[in-house]
Amino acid sequence: MNKLGGSFLLASAAASVALACGVGDALAQNASCYDAEVSARIVSQTPTALPDCEDGCIIISWPWFVDLDVSRVHSGNVPRGRLTVLAVLHTYYRRDLGSRRWKLRRNDLGGFNLLRGAEEIRVRCADDQPPATAYIKPPVGQTLEDLRRVGRELYDRDN
């Protein structure tokens, strides 16, 4: 069991099962629109603690924190400079590739989810569209920063 005692929650139980055990579509793949498109380079990436799953499951992707240095905003309301986004990844992105375009979706925690496969998402979300569910939801009494700190401790990462 991880340092959080298996208590941290992903955005929804169905998404975490899909994410960890390959059943159905993972939440990260369900976006039909984006709220912002930016050019940015990766500053750091931190995986969260692996979710608990039953014996025999294979974890392919799980939630990460990705810090971007936004150099240009192509569309949407995003500040330039450092921006932390939530992502669902199999492994880290190569930071040596420099700046690239990213599509982001507002989430219900007030931040952004980084969209995978965003090249195929061509529609911008309507201004009145509700935000997406955040890829990571901390348990009561904890913050996203608590989850990031645990990930850094578990994986000895500060990259």
Side-chain angles (χ1 to χ4, degrees), residues 1-57:
M1 191 166 289
N2 62 43
K3 289 186 179 182
L4 290 178
S7 65
F8 91 85
L9 303 174
L10 295 177
S12 73
S16 65
V17 169
L19 191 63
C21 302
V23 179
D25 292 331
L27 183 62
Q29 298 301 313
N30 289 340
S32 59
C33 63
Y34 66 93
D35 291 297
E37 185 173 9
V38 300
S39 287
R41 68 177 179 81
I42 294 173
V43 176
S44 71
Q45 307 171 74
T46 305
T48 61
L50 287 171
D52 270 341
C53 65
E54 297 179 26
D55 291 338
C57 82

Side-chain angles (χ1 to χ4, degrees), residues 3 46 148-157:
K3 289 186 179 182
T46 305
R148 181 198 293 251
R149 186 175 50 256
V150 169
R152 284 187 174 142
E153 290 171 5
L154 285 172
Y155 304 110
D156 195 29
R157 284 189 174 250

Side-chain angles (χ1 to χ4, degrees), residues 32-103:
S32 59
C33 63
Y34 66 93
D35 291 297
E37 185 173 9
V38 300
S39 287
R41 68 177 179 81
I42 294 173
V43 176
S44 71
Q45 307 171 74
T46 305
T48 61
L50 287 171
D52 270 341
C53 65
E54 297 179 26
D55 291 338
C57 82
I58 298 172
I59 297 175
I60 296 172
S61 298
W62 70 98
W64 289 55
F65 295 94
V66 176
D67 293 318
L68 300 174
D69 181 14
V70 177
S71 58
R72 182 173 177 198
V73 178
H74 301 282
S75 64
N77 187 17
V78 177
R80 288 183 58 192
R82 191 165 177 149
L83 176 68
T84 298
V85 297
L86 306 177
V88 176
L89 304 174
H90 169 69
T91 189
Y92 61 91
Y93 283 106
R94 288 182 46 200
R95 290 191 316 176
D96 64 327
L97 298 178
S99 187
R100 65 169 283 195
R101 280 186 127 155
W102 306 93
K103 289 183 182 168

Side-chain angles (χ1 to χ4, degrees), residues 19 23 42 63 81 104 106 115 120 128 150:
L19 191 63
V23 179
I42 294 173
L104 310 174
R106 285 181 307 120
L115 299 178
E120 298 172 17
D128 62 349
V150 169

